[in-house]
Amino acid sequence: MITKSKFAVMAGIVSLLFLTVLPGFAEEKAEEKQGKAVVSETELSQTAKAYAKIMEIQQGFQQSIQEAGDDRKKIQALQEDANKRMTKAVEKEGLDLQTYSKIIQTVKADADLRNDFMEKLEQIE
């Protein structure tokens, strides 16, 4: 039987996997050859807005999981709903999941871009 804490950890991992969907690496390799990856200010802003909304959804999801107890069907329904809402959050900002994921990966790998991203997040909150 899965305990609440184990399920919360698993749900967190699933959510992180959602955020880091593996995009095609061909474009990334081409950008690496050119030097610094190119992410426009608009894309960075869109990604920051989507990221902020996704974090909000995940927090609500974690609270709902705790309230659901051991009800697996309810937990699965909550997970599916959270995934749909996160997808909509990304799409609402004009991005597809692959582009969002690629930008998140680029932000993680580039300290300057990460600083810009964090500034944009602070402006949202």
Side-chain angles (χ1 to χ4, degrees):
M1 176 173 250
I2 298 176
T3 64
K4 284 189 230 179
S5 62
K6 286 181 183 176
F7 188 81
V9 170
M10 287 180 6
I13 292 169
V14 169
S15 295
L16 288 175
L17 289 174
F18 171 83
L19 293 174
T20 56
V21 176
L22 296 176
F25 291 104
E27 293 173 351
E28 290 177 0
K29 296 292 183 195
E31 289 173 354
E32 287 174 12
K33 289 179 184 176
Q34 295 173 359
K36 195 173 183 177
V38 178
V39 177
S40 72
E41 284 295 314
T42 301
E43 289 175 321
L44 196 60
S45 292
Q46 291 169 313
T47 303
K49 289 176 186 174
Y51 182 85
K53 183 64 179 170
I54 286 170
M55 292 297 103
E56 182 182 309
I57 292 166
Q58 284 184 324
Q59 287 174 350
F61 171 72
Q62 292 299 326
Q63 289 173 351
S64 297
I65 289 275
Q66 291 175 353
E67 294 168 6
D70 292 331
D71 186 343
R72 287 185 177 188
K73 288 183 180 182
K74 187 172 183 178
I75 291 169
Q76 184 178 1
L78 289 168
Q79 178 68 51
E80 289 171 6
D81 179 60
N83 284 340
K84 287 177 187 175
R85 292 174 55 213
M86 288 187 278
T87 299
K88 285 182 184 177
V90 170
E91 291 170 350
K92 181 180 177 188
E93 293 305 325
L95 300 169
D96 58 47
L97 292 177
Q98 185 176 5
T99 301
Y100 172 83
S101 178
K102 179 181 170 193
I103 293 169
I104 291 293
Q105 292 299 322
T106 303
V107 165
K108 287 179 182 179
D110 185 321
D112 292 334
L113 195 57
R114 187 170 41 254
N115 289 335
D116 292 344
F117 183 78
M118 295 305 291
E119 286 177 17
K120 291 193 182 305
L121 278 177
E122 288 173 12
Q123 292 171 359
I124 293 168
E125 298 172 357

